Amino acid sequence: MPLLFSSVGDEVKVVSIGGDAAVKQHLNEIGFTVGTQVTVIQKIATGLIVKVKESRIAIDRSMASKIMVS
């Protein structure tokens, strides 16, 4: 399921990342790699605030829909 559909408090694992090469590289650079644990901290109007590797990151809806989690 896309990260966008996760609920606040969910701890999920990244299973795949979609999009073109530039999107994948950008997500990789900010810590979204396959196998990484992600915690949804808050849902906001424009997307999500998540915790990735001890960092809090705001990610917009289009990016969150490209990150598949389980």
Side-chain angles (χ1 to χ4, degrees):
M1 106 180 131
L3 178 60
L4 182 61
F5 297 140
S6 298
S7 300
V8 173
D10 284 355
E11 292 185 24
V12 295
K13 185 164 85 171
V14 176
V15 294
S16 69
I17 298 173
D20 62 21
V23 169
K24 289 179 181 180
Q25 181 178 351
H26 174 68
L27 289 171
N28 189 327
E29 289 171 355
I30 60 174
F32 289 94
T33 56
V34 174
T36 301
Q37 290 292 125
V38 177
T39 304
V40 179
I41 304 295
Q42 184 178 3
K43 286 197 166 194
I44 55 177
T46 57
L48 302 170
I49 297 176
V50 296
K51 180 179 176 187
V52 179
K53 298 181 180 178
E54 305 304 318
S55 297
R56 288 183 181 209
I57 299 172
I59 188 162
D60 70 12
R61 293 169 127 346
S62 67
M63 288 288 190
S65 66
K66 291 176 174 55
I67 301 168
M68 295 296 166
V69 296
S70 65

